[in-house]
Amino acid sequence: MKFDTVIVGGGLAGLLCGIRLSRGGQRCAIVSRGQSALSFSSGSLDLLSRLPDGTAVQDTAAGLAALETLAPEHPYSLIGAGRVYQYAREAQSLLAKCGLKFQGDASAPHRRVTPLGMTRPAWLSPPEVPLSPRKGEHICVVGINGFADFQPHLAAATLRKQGLRVTATDIDLPLLDNLRDNPSEFRAVTIARQLDQDSHFAELCAALRPLSETHDAIWFPACFGLTDDKVYTRLNAELACPLYLLPTLPPSVPGMRMQTLLQQQFIRSGGAWMPGDEVLRATLDNNMVSQLWTRRHEDIPLRADHVVLASGSFFSNGLVAGRDGVREKVFGLDVLHSPDRASWYRDNLFDAQPWQQFGVRTDATLRGQLQGETLQNLYVIGSVLGGYDAIHQGCGGGICAVTALHVAQQICAPGGFE
């Protein structure tokens, strides 16, 4: 099977790259092994929250400029601060065209509220996610009776410590009684499949309406909206005060909605989606990837002018740690890591962990390297890249979006920049 570009991995980075390439006229395929890390995402994306030395980033442009000096191997530093900023804005536009609404802007991070009532920086957040609340508002944090993956009283206690006026309560929804019989089924996704049904809207609205009449805002777990925001929009039209949603423990409804909408857009744009498959090995000729061999098409290789690796980090099995070090699973690419295992981690769990910065080594164009040689048609994007700490630096979503568009730009217009 012949394509212009084959992308290995169907998460945020792979999908954004595939959509951009397809919109540029490429015949593109994505090989996706299974559920991506998006299903475990809060639905918010971060661009750059902290520098490697721990300094908080208030001005994104200034933070990106400082990063080039502090961390020259960071993917943003390889791409260049000016281009990162432009790609971030392009990503916002592309996400909107895919039906994903966001609040926020690349110029400065905002602070979103977490399920435990804390706040953390973000680049983009769904419009239903509450931002730092204003003091004086009477907020009601509402849970669902029996739903263990969201604890309104814990969130309320944290918010009160910040000087906010907060009430916590649970509501009963008899329509979910069939799920309560099996605790393993009483999860956000299975609840959403019930609450997204038109026939159940009246019961949900009736349970929330009295609370909306005595509070300035309701914060509810994100347990509806698997494919769209219709229920959220209808509730805000019916209730007496604004309704906001907080993500729950994974699997995440906002993350799964993002995955679904991006996947649908990729297919609509003409891309070939290959789910439940994985690339097992590759044929290399003269520093070029000539063929890809997959588990489901073991006798029929995939051929492409360009190959993009978006297989994810340790969580997605794109990187594998062993006794002898860390390896990239598909091509065996050079990996940025320390050979001394004792230096991989810090004893304090909450410190920045060195292993978080392990990943594939590339050149400035994000082409992968094998034994020091650059593979001319193999690009690397997303969390499989090395040189950054997505958690400590708050840049995971931005890395996926920016590197995806940077590589798509080079494939569509080599040597140029729009």
Side-chain angles (χ1 to χ4, degrees), residues 138-144 152 167-173 204-221 239-243:
H138 189 187
I139 300 166
C140 186
V141 185
V142 182
I144 300 173
T167 303
T169 190
D170 289 299
I171 59 172
D172 286 313
L173 292 174
L204 174 61
C205 189
L208 293 174
R209 185 177 288 112
L211 297 172
S212 74
E213 295 169 350
T214 56
H215 296 86
D216 298 313
I218 292 176
W219 293 2
F220 194 68
L239 299 177
C241 74
L243 171 72

Side-chain angles (χ1 to χ4, degrees), residues 377-388:
N377 68 336
L378 174 62
Y379 296 88
V380 185
I381 62 175
S383 55
V384 71
L385 286 165
Y388 74 101

Side-chain angles (χ1 to χ4, degrees), residues 38-324:
L38 271 179
S39 298
F40 300 84
S41 161
S42 67
S44 293
L45 302 176
D46 41 19
L47 186 60
L48 182 64
S49 302
R50 284 183 296 275
L51 296 175
D53 62 6
T55 303
V57 174
Q58 304 297 336
D59 181 286
T60 305
L64 290 170
L67 193 65
E68 292 184 341
T69 301
L70 293 172
E73 292 184 307
H74 195 291
Y76 287 165
S77 299
L78 296 177
I79 294 171
R83 289 186 174 186
V84 169
Y85 201 72
Q86 183 165 340
Y87 286 132
R89 291 192 174 279
E90 182 183 340
Q92 292 176 219
S93 175
L94 184 58
L95 289 166
K97 292 175 182 176
C98 295
L100 287 159
K101 302 173 184 176
F102 285 103
Q103 55 184 330
D105 187 79
S107 60
H110 60 268
R111 299 197 70 86
R112 67 175 178 88
V113 181
T114 72
L116 291 179
M118 305 294 289
T119 63
R120 62 173 296 165
W123 161 36
L124 299 174
S125 293
E128 62 265 29
V129 171
L131 306 187
S132 297
R134 295 187 299 271
K135 290 188 177 182
E137 288 184 331
H138 189 187
I139 300 166
C140 186
V141 185
V142 182
I144 300 173
N145 189 26
F147 179 49
D149 289 352
F150 179 76
Q151 299 294 324
H153 296 277
L154 290 178
T158 303
L159 291 163
R160 290 191 197 104
K161 291 179 181 178
Q162 301 170 34
L164 300 172
R165 185 183 176 201
V166 185
T167 303
T169 190
D170 289 299
I171 59 172
D172 286 313
L173 292 174
L175 67 91
L176 302 176
D177 286 346
N178 61 320
L179 299 180
R180 291 190 179 89
D181 293 337
N182 186 350
S184 65
E185 290 295 319
F186 204 36
R187 295 289 182 263
V189 172
T190 51
I191 292 173
R193 294 192 181 107
Q194 298 292 320
L195 298 184
D196 281 348
Q197 298 179 32
D198 289 342
S199 58
H200 294 153
F201 176 82
E203 184 174 337
L204 174 61
C205 189
L208 293 174
R209 185 177 288 112
L211 297 172
S212 74
E213 295 169 350
T214 56
H215 296 86
D216 298 313
I218 292 176
W219 293 2
F220 194 68
C223 290
F224 50 79
L226 267 175
T227 58
D228 54 49
D229 61 356
K230 290 180 181 178
V231 174
Y232 173 74
T233 302
R234 288 182 66 189
L235 283 171
N236 267 296
E238 293 280 346
L239 299 177
C241 74
L243 171 72
Y244 298 96
L245 303 180
L246 291 170
T248 68
L249 288 176
S252 159
V253 169
M256 293 183 72
R257 180 169 68 244
M258 189 184 303
Q259 173 81 38
T260 298
L261 290 176
L262 290 176
Q263 184 178 322
Q264 290 174 345
Q265 180 61 39
F266 173 70
I267 294 171
R268 282 196 300 267
S269 65
W273 179 254
M274 299 182 176
D277 202 356
E278 62 179 320
V279 176
L280 301 177
R281 58 188 176 89
T283 302
L284 303 180
D285 294 309
N286 299 319
N287 289 332
M288 300 276 287
V289 179
S290 58
Q291 297 178 115
L292 296 174
W293 304 84
T294 74
R295 180 168 51 82
R296 295 184 65 180
H297 302 88
E298 56 184 24
D299 297 327
I300 307 173
L302 305 181
R303 296 182 175 87
D305 297 327
H306 306 278
V307 176
V308 179
L309 180 66
S311 54
S313 186
F314 297 99
F315 179 80
S316 302
N317 213 32
L319 297 175
V320 178
R323 291 184 178 274
D324 299 327

